[in-house]
């Protein structure tokens, strides 16, 4: 069965903002969630369809790929969900942690589960030439790493942790409010479910220390200005055994003095000798990587667009498929022609009957 357009699935336009996208998805997810529609296969499919659409459109990188390539996402495609809980992953980011009763499930939290580390962001700048083959660079990133002294526990060696009496080790306290059961992080243990008796002297009980790490960042060919790339698991270390965050690279492509980029195609202007424009011939045209020789037909007017295939930039994620180079030919007219040139041009003008200004002698 052919997939529906993701924007159509969520009922939004292609210019929809991130906030509006959240609101629309929240409404659909509440309407079709399986716990609210037990045994309803149609609602189940609509929920999965909406979750897939939101998973792609809420990610700037995936959304950009989808807008350009459709459901293929430039050859990567959508990897799919593993059950409803994964499909609903991140749902609490939209609704908050107050749907335990409504969404079902135990929701019990153990102290060893921990918290996910923070995401990090870094901006890089590359040239238009580097867009052709991509670029690998090494950068230094200050981030929090798991403390080697206490292995992330935050407790001094030889000491133990005790169960938090306020939450009973769950890391959260529950407050019933009408239809919903609200869950809040335990204020006493900070969500850990355990309390440290003696803090680690190295990390002061946090379980993490600040360090500078070197990362190899690979910018793929065809990347566009403003792209946001993700390196999974390269953010800060989590707490209490939680997973690492992600590392995001914001890419800026420097403006080129010679070429203007529009998608995969490049646009430029180049001078053509007026004799070649009239009689035809071959000229050297500047490209992103050097020059190439092209044929000029006789009678080529100034302003004509010349197309040079495969001299643009590659598609993002598809380095073998390059765009084209479009050159606006500007006929080069000599500002100060030599005496011999002028005489020849005057003869040509006389033969054509062109009303040109003829330079006469003193007498």
């Amino acid at each position: 069965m052919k997939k529906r357009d993701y924007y159509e699935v969520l009922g939004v336009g292609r210019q929809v903002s991130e906030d509006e996208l959240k609101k629309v998805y929240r409404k659909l997810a509440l309407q079709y969630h399986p716990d609210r529609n037990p045994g309803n296969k149609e609602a189940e499919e609509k929920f999965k369809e909406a979750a897939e659409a939101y998973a792609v459109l809420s990610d700037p990188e995936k959304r950009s790929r989808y807008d350009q390539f459709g459901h293929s996402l430039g050859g990567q495609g959508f990897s799919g969900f593993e059950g409803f809980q994964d499909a609903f992953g991140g749902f609490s980011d939209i609704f908050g942690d107050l749907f335990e009763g409504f969404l079902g499930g135990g929701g019990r939290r153990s102290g060893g589960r921990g918290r996910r580390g923070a995401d990090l962001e870094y901006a890089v700048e590359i040239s238009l030439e580097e867009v052709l083959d991509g670029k690998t660079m090494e950068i230094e990133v200050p981030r929090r790493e798991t403390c080697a002294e206490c292995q992330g526990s935050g407790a001094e060696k030889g000491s133990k942790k005790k169960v938090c009496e306020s939450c009973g080790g769950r890391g959260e306290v529950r407050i019933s409010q009408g239809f919903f059961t609200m869950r809040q992080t335990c204020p006493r243990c900070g969500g850990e479910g355990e309390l440290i008796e003696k803090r680690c002297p190295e990390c002061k009980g946090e379980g993490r220390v600040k360090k500078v790490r070197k990362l190899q960042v690979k910018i793929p060919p065809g990347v566009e200005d403003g792209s946001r790339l993700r390196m999974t698991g390269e953010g800060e270390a989590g707490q209490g055994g939680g997973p690492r965050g992600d590392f995001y690279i914001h890419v800026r492509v420097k403006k080129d003095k010679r070429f203007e980029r529009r998608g995969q195609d490049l646009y430029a202007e180049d001078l053509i000798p007026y004799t070649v424009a009239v009689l035809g011939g071959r000229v050297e045209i500047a490209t992103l990587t050097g020059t190439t020789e092209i044929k000029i037909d006789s009678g080529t007017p100034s302003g004509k667009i010349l197309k040079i295939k495969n001299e643009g930039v590659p598609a993002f994620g598809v380095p073998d498929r390059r765009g084209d180079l479009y050159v606006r030919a500007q006929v080069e007219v000599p500002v100060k022609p030599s005496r011999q040139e002028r005489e020849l041009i005057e003869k040509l003008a006389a033969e054509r009957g062109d009303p040109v200004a003829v330079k006469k002698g003193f007498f």
Side-chain angles (χ1 to χ4, degrees), residues 31-46:
Q31 181 180 353
Y32 296 116
H33 193 275
D35 287 350
R36 209 175 197 186
N37 301 273
N40 189 332
K41 292 295 183 182
E42 183 180 356
E44 181 179 310
E45 291 303 319
K46 287 185 176 180

Side-chain angles (χ1 to χ4, degrees), residues 200-243:
C200 170
E202 183 70 21
C203 63
K204 304 298 186 292
E206 184 183 346
R208 302 179 300 175
V209 292
K210 288 185 178 180
K211 289 189 176 183
V212 176
R213 295 296 188 191
K214 292 184 178 181
L215 292 181
Q216 290 286 334
V217 175
K218 294 183 179 181
I219 309 298
V223 68
E224 294 196 21
D225 181 49
S227 294
R228 187 169 179 252
L229 310 177
R230 181 174 66 181
M231 296 176 66
T232 304
E234 290 294 351
E236 293 196 331
Q239 287 182 287

Side-chain angles (χ1 to χ4, degrees), residues 77-304:
F78 184 74
S79 58
F81 296 118
E82 295 180 8
F84 288 121
Q85 293 304 320
D86 291 335
F88 219 54
F91 199 58
S92 60
D93 293 337
I94 302 173
F95 294 91
D97 293 328
L98 51 80
F99 289 96
E100 179 184 12
F102 169 64
L103 296 182
R108 293 183 60 86
R109 176 176 176 175
S110 63
R113 179 174 171 180
R115 293 196 296 270
R116 181 179 183 273
D119 294 333
L120 298 176
E121 297 189 2
Y122 193 90
V124 299
E125 188 176 59
I126 64 174
S127 66
L128 189 58
E129 287 89 347
E130 290 170 331
V131 172
L132 283 178
D133 301 315
K135 183 178 182 179
T136 299
M137 59 183 73
E138 187 177 77
I139 60 176
E140 292 186 344
V141 180
R143 67 186 187 186
R144 288 182 176 86
E145 300 286 351
T146 300
C147 177
E149 182 70 17
C150 65
Q151 302 299 315
S153 69
E156 185 180 359
K157 284 185 177 179
S159 66
K160 297 180 180 180
K161 289 184 177 183
K162 64 179 182 178
V163 176
C164 175
E165 297 176 356
S166 297
C167 64
R170 290 188 297 269
E172 56 196 17
V173 292
R174 297 176 176 84
I175 302 175
S176 296
Q177 188 173 9
F179 179 71
F180 299 111
T181 298
M182 298 181 66
R183 298 182 299 176
Q184 294 182 346
T185 300
C186 177
R188 186 175 181 187
C189 66
E192 293 297 318
E194 297 175 321
L195 295 174
I196 299 173
E197 293 182 335
K198 293 183 179 181
R199 297 181 182 275
C200 170
E202 183 70 21
C203 63
K204 304 298 186 292
E206 184 183 346
R208 302 179 300 175
V209 292
K210 288 185 178 180
K211 289 189 176 183
V212 176
R213 295 296 188 191
K214 292 184 178 181
L215 292 181
Q216 290 286 334
V217 175
K218 294 183 179 181
I219 309 298
V223 68
E224 294 196 21
D225 181 49
S227 294
R228 187 169 179 252
L229 310 177
R230 181 174 66 181
M231 296 176 66
T232 304
E234 290 294 351
E236 293 196 331
Q239 287 182 287
R244 300 191 71 98
D246 297 330
F247 186 72
Y248 290 91
I249 304 104
H250 294 266
V251 183
R252 294 287 301 172
V253 181
K254 290 184 286 188
K255 288 189 176 181
D256 194 277
K257 296 179 179 179
R258 303 165 299 165
F259 303 99
E260 177 186 347
R261 180 183 180 183
R262 300 178 192 171
Q264 297 170 238
D265 298 325
L266 296 177
Y267 293 79
E269 290 187 353
D270 217 327
L271 294 175
I272 306 296
Y274 72 100
T275 51
V276 176
V278 173
L279 302 175
R282 302 189 70 84
V283 296
E284 291 285 334
I285 297 293
T287 65
L288 194 58
T289 55
T291 60
T292 187
E293 188 178 76
I294 65 170
K295 179 184 177 182
I296 302 296
D297 296 328
S298 61
T300 296
S302 186
K304 182 177 180 179

